[in-house]
Every structure is written in structure tokens, then in C-alpha cells.
Amino acid sequence: MKIFLDSADLKEVRTAAGWGVLSGVTTNPTLAAKAGARDFKSVLAEICQLVPGAAISAEVVSSDTDSMLNEARELAAVDPQVVVKIPVTPDGLAAVRQLGQEGIRTNVTLVFSTAQAILAAAAGADFVSPFVGRLDDRGEDGLGLVGEIMKVFNTYRYATEVIAASIRTPRQVVGAALAGAHIATVPFKVLQRLFEHPLTAQGIERFRADWELLQGR
Ligand code: G3P
């Protein structure tokens, strides 16, 4: 499973890219606002440079097809790495179909059901993003949804890649991998926690101490 960073914060992107584990970055208007990204297009361009060759998602905010298409073309013009995030509505999927014909990649977002994921694949989306955490927040089964989508996508060999999004915990990342998701997009704090295990820290300390003993320090 590939790891994407779910962030529009340049410092976080730079740090996580330095760890060598990133295959992409996803942003949304909320994350851009949180990062204080006023000139979002220049932030987007910088993210593309920080993670060369990776898929970098940026979201449209209009609701009708024509306006989404205009926004999408502007975002895609920033860099060939840009993938345009579009909500799973009838207007959104019409835009997805058109953008596919123009060679602009899309990530269909705000997906909360398998039916919506099937529609996104039918429209030719490159990626589809089921929101795990927001479903769990409501007492529903976010990872169960990812598993169900994977079962359908594998059965029909859809080319659309599934991004487990709205991730809140390291365990959800593992759960997404066990469910067969192609990608998990992970907030910076969760990504940091994925590295952690007390036995790793203890082991490093013990190896260092034993080595120093051997050197007679
Ligand atoms: O980028 C989409 C998604 O990951 C949002 O997550 O935490 O706002 O539910 P969250």
C-alpha cells in the first residue's frame, strides 16, 4: 500500500518527504485554510517540487460542472503532477468524465458508500477517496466500507485506485492495508506515530550503550 500525506502544510510535506515514504499528497480546502495558504496555487506548485513525480491532489469548490471544469483546468495547469479532487455528485462525475478525456487526472472525494465508489469508477476516476474517520465518528464502519469497495473493484478489475482517507489513527492505516486499499492518505501526526514502538526506541538505546561499552567509553 502506498502512503500519501494528507496536508497542505509545506513544513509537514517537506519533513515527511524527507523520510522517504511518500508517494503522494492530498489537500482539501480545509487543510489549505489550516495551513494559511492564501495563494494556494503557489503552495501547490511547491508541494509538487517537494515530492517529485508524486500525485498531488487539489480540490475544486464549485458545484456545477462548467465551473468545476474551469477550476480543474486551472489547478492542473500548475503542474502535471496535480490530480483534481472532485466531490461525488452528478455534476462532479460529469466533470470527471470530461477531464479524463482531456488527460487531467481526478480523485473523487467525499465518498461514503460503495455505490458512490462504483459511480466514480464508472465515470473514469483515477482515484476514489472513501472517508474512513468521518464514518467511524458516526458509529459506522469506515474500514468495512474500504473492504467492500476493494471487493467490487477487484472483482471487476477497475483501474481506479482506492485512497483510504480521513484517517485518524495508526491502526486505521493498518486496517486500510488489510482491506487491500491501494493508498492511505495520512495526516502528519498519524504518520509520525506509525514509526513509533517502545521496543524500537529501547533497542536503539541498548545497541548504542553496548557499542560504547565495547569502545571502553
Ligand atoms: O482530505 C480528505 C480527508 O482525508 C479529510 O479528513 O480528517 O477532515 O475527515 P478529515
Side-chain angles (χ1 to χ4, degrees):
M1 185 179 71
K2 287 175 273 188
I3 302 285
F4 285 11
L5 182 70
D6 199 21
S7 174
D9 181 318
L10 285 172
K11 207 170 144 221
E12 290 182 352
V13 175
R14 192 172 296 114
T15 306
W19 293 337
V21 297
L22 283 194
S23 300
V25 177
T26 51
T27 68
N28 63 38
T30 305
L31 291 171
K34 219 190 270 179
R38 288 225 172 162
D39 177 8
F40 184 63
K41 278 191 205 140
S42 63
V43 171
L44 188 58
E46 211 165 321
I47 294 175
C48 292
Q49 281 184 1
L50 288 170
V51 201
I56 312 295
S57 288
E59 190 156 344
V60 299
V61 288
S62 351
S63 48
D64 65 283
T65 304
D66 285 343
S67 312
M68 283 190 211
L69 286 172
N70 289 337
E71 266 192 81
R73 288 172 188 133
E74 279 185 27
L75 289 169
V78 169
D79 193 289
Q81 285 174 237
V82 170
V83 174
V84 181
K85 246 173 141 177
I86 302 207
V88 62
T89 60
D91 277 71
L93 294 191
V96 166
R97 168 67 64 191
Q98 174 59 31
L99 291 167
Q101 281 161 11
E102 296 177 23
I104 294 175
R105 288 182 296 165
T106 52
N107 171 359
V108 171
T109 190
L110 290 163
V111 166
F112 294 97
S113 75
T114 305
Q116 291 175 326
I118 291 169
L119 289 176
D126 295 277
F127 302 94
V128 60
S129 294
F131 278 31
V132 172
R134 290 194 199 183
L135 280 172
D136 287 0
D137 292 347
R138 289 166 47 89
E140 294 186 47
D141 181 8
L143 289 173
L145 171 64
V146 174
E148 195 174 281
I149 293 172
M150 290 318 302
K151 199 169 169 199
V152 174
F153 279 29
N154 289 334
T155 299
Y156 292 101
R157 299 199 173 92
Y158 286 159
T160 307
E161 287 192 87
V162 175
I163 306 179
S166 182
I167 293 286
R168 310 251 193 272
T169 66
R171 195 60 211 170
Q172 285 173 334
V173 178
V174 177
L178 288 170
H182 302 97
I183 298 152
T185 189
V186 184
F188 185 77
K189 282 208 164 72
V190 177
L191 186 57
Q192 253 177 334
R193 285 171 59 202
L194 286 176
F195 281 92
E196 291 167 10
H197 195 286
L199 292 179
T200 305
Q202 275 174 34
I204 290 171
E205 185 47 38
R206 170 109 51 97
F207 285 150
R208 195 192 55 76
D210 287 346
W211 185 253
E212 284 186 0
L213 209 62
L214 183 70
Q215 310 297 309
R217 283 182 215 155

